[in-house]
């Protein structure tokens, strides 16, 4: 059957008869075999004696059809591979945005089939393609999607993806949009018992908050870092961190500093009950839940020695000041 198209050309539509004589218009999606679509597309991209140039435009359309067909059939491994090829095709056609979206689809399917290395690689490549488009937000989002997918199976890779995701926003002056990424990275580091790294992320968060004029978030991040050091039973580092934070006027006069001071004073007194009481203050209770959870477990070690050490240091200072 033929009809005249909008451009004046003759279009032919295949028809077939149903069992009762009803005419049905053929549908490519309904009748196409995705395996055949892939095979045909592969041939269009390979050079031979009779094909001197690849037909990426046609091939990419076939890869896209095959990917969607495989996904509908729940053949996720094949769909993943087809979306990867479709992404490559869009790259060859100088369409990085479409290439990135297909790569994200491939990454999501890699997660579905438990190919964790591919999850990371695909989301990273998608991010690079979004950067090529000059789009920092979707580039950051792609890495964050990968991080969330990998938190349980590969937490070390996940936390690096969170850090790289936040770096993209920082470079674009969008620090305030990275707050959730800092929070997620901190949580993973604490779960991995990498407390110094967790505190470093929190101090980085405080700096980003300062640049964003988010004073409350800045002060909460500083207090959280101090608590992380205390949880790691590194009182000296917690004390040093507190002293450094107090150089920032916004923190010096904040409720968060008062809570930190009370907590550190309880440590220097070697008073376990006072530490527990200070850790349950309303200021600390308003921090992120992962920080509240570890604060409730303070102290994590013997603090009786801190009182003796502090007293000895004070005696040494008095001796130095004694000029007689």
């Amino acid at each position: 059957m033929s009809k005249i198209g909008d451009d004046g050309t003759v279009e032919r539509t295949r028809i077939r008869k149903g069992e009762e004589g009803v005419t049905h218009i053929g549908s490519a999606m309904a009748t196409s075999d995705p395996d055949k679509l892939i095979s045909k597309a592969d041939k269009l991209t390979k050079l031979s004696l009779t094909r001197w140039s690849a037909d990426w435009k046609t091939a990419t359309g076939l890869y896209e059809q095959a990917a969607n067909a495989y996904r509908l059939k729940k053949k996720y491994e094949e769909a993943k591979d087809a979306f990867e090829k479709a992404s490559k095709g869009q790259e060859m056609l100088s369409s990085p945005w479409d290439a990135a979206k297909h790569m994200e689809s491939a990454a999501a399917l890699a997660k579905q089939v438990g190919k964790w290395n591919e999850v990371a690689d695909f989301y990273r490549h998608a991010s690079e393609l979004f950067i090529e488009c000059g789009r920092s937000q979707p580039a950051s989002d792609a890495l964050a999607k990968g991080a969330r997918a990998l938190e349980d199976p590969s937490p070390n890779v996940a936390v690096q993806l969170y850090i790289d995701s936040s770096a993209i926003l920082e470079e674009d002056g969008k620090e305030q949009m990275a707050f959730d990424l800092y929070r997620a990275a901190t949580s993973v580091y604490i779960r991995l018992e990498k407390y110094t790294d967790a505190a470093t992320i929190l101090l980085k968060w405080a700096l980003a908050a300062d640049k964003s004029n988010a004073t409350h978030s800045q002060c909460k991040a500083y207090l959280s870092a101090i608590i992380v050091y205390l949880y790691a039973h590194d009182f000296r580092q917690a004390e040093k961190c507190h002293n450094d934070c107090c150089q920032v006027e916004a923190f010096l006069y904040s409720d968060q500093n008062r809570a930190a001071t009370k907590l550190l004073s309880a440590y220097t007194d070697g008073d376990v009950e006072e530490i527990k009481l200070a850790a349950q203050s309303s200021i600390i209770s308003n921090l992120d839940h992962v920080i509240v959870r570890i604060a409730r477990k303070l102290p994590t070690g013997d603090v009786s020695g801190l009182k003796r050490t502090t007293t000895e240091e004070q005696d040494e200072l008095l001796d130095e000041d004694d000029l007689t």
Side-chain angles (χ1 to χ4, degrees):
M1 183 175 70
S2 302
K3 65 176 181 177
I4 305 299
D6 293 336
D7 58 356
T9 58
V10 176
E11 297 179 354
R12 296 188 180 278
T13 305
R14 289 177 299 156
I15 60 174
R16 63 184 177 83
K17 294 281 187 175
E19 291 181 0
E20 297 180 2
V22 180
T23 301
H24 300 278
I25 297 177
S27 167
M29 283 300 294
T31 60
S32 295
D33 179 347
D35 292 337
K36 291 181 180 178
L37 292 173
I38 291 290
S39 178
K40 184 176 180 181
D42 286 344
K43 289 177 182 177
L44 291 172
T45 61
K46 292 177 182 176
L47 304 183
S48 66
L49 293 174
T50 58
R51 184 182 301 283
W52 292 2
S53 61
D55 184 357
W56 279 104
K57 185 175 181 180
T58 303
T60 300
L62 294 172
Y63 286 137
E64 290 168 343
Q65 287 182 51
N68 287 317
Y70 280 132
R71 188 160 56 183
L72 285 172
K73 293 173 180 285
K74 298 185 190 272
K75 292 186 174 182
Y76 299 127
E77 182 73 39
E78 291 85 350
K80 170 182 67 67
D81 294 341
F83 272 118
E84 186 181 4
K85 290 182 176 183
S87 178
K88 173 66 175 176
Q90 291 293 356
E91 281 192 77
M92 297 300 291
L93 296 172
S94 300
S95 299
W97 177 268
D98 291 325
K101 299 301 287 184
H102 287 328
M103 192 54 68
E104 283 193 307
S105 295
L109 289 161
K111 175 189 173 185
Q112 194 93 0
V113 296
K115 297 287 183 70
W116 306 118
N117 287 338
E118 289 187 350
V119 170
D121 290 343
F122 290 170
Y123 275 123
R124 281 194 181 281
H125 190 43
S127 179
E128 290 166 359
L129 290 165
F130 283 128
I131 290 289
E132 191 177 327
C133 298
R135 301 291 296 277
S136 62
Q137 185 63 58
S140 173
D141 289 345
L143 295 180
K145 289 175 187 175
R148 285 191 291 273
L150 293 169
E151 275 195 23
D152 289 329
S154 190
N156 285 297
V157 176
V159 78
Q160 189 57 54
L161 287 172
Y162 279 130
I163 291 169
D164 294 343
S165 177
S166 65
I168 290 173
L169 296 175
E170 290 164 6
E171 289 172 11
D172 205 29
K174 297 177 179 177
E175 287 89 355
Q176 192 161 7
M177 301 180 75
F179 288 6
D180 285 341
L181 301 172
Y182 299 131
R183 179 180 293 109
T186 299
S187 180
V188 176
Y189 270 139
I190 288 175
R191 185 146 52 90
L192 290 171
E193 299 183 358
K194 294 185 176 182
Y195 303 117
T196 299
D197 290 327
T200 299
I201 290 294
L202 287 163
L203 294 173
K204 190 176 182 181
W205 184 356
L207 180 61
D210 183 39
K211 291 180 180 178
S212 306
N213 296 315
T215 303
H216 189 59
S217 293
Q218 178 186 9
C219 294
K220 287 174 68 175
Y222 280 144
L223 175 56
S224 297
I226 293 165
I227 290 171
V228 168
Y229 282 127
L230 291 175
Y231 185 74
H233 202 56
D234 190 346
F235 176 76
R236 294 300 169 219
Q237 192 58 45
E239 195 172 44
K240 181 181 181 301
C241 181
H242 179 246
N243 290 336
D244 290 342
C245 293
C246 284
Q247 302 304 308
V248 179
E249 187 174 351
F251 180 74
L252 181 61
Y253 298 107
S254 69
D255 290 337
Q256 286 74 25
N257 181 34
R258 282 187 281 277
T261 301
K262 188 174 182 180
L263 190 55
L264 290 168
S265 295
Y267 267 84
T268 56
D269 290 340
D271 190 333
V272 173
E273 292 306 315
E274 193 63 28
I275 290 170
K276 291 180 178 179
L277 187 63
Q280 292 176 13
S281 72
S282 59
I283 299 301
I284 291 177
S285 296
N286 283 323
L287 299 175
D288 287 326
H289 66 89
V290 67
I291 303 299
V292 174
R293 189 164 64 246
I294 64 174
R296 294 287 187 265
K297 297 178 182 178
L298 296 176
T300 53
D302 181 21
V303 296
S304 59
L306 293 175
K307 185 175 183 179
R308 289 196 300 272
T309 303
T310 304
T311 303
E312 289 167 3
E313 289 176 352
Q314 288 173 345
D315 289 342
E316 286 176 8
L317 288 173
L318 288 172
D319 289 340
E320 290 173 4
D321 292 338
D322 188 358
L323 300 177
T324 59

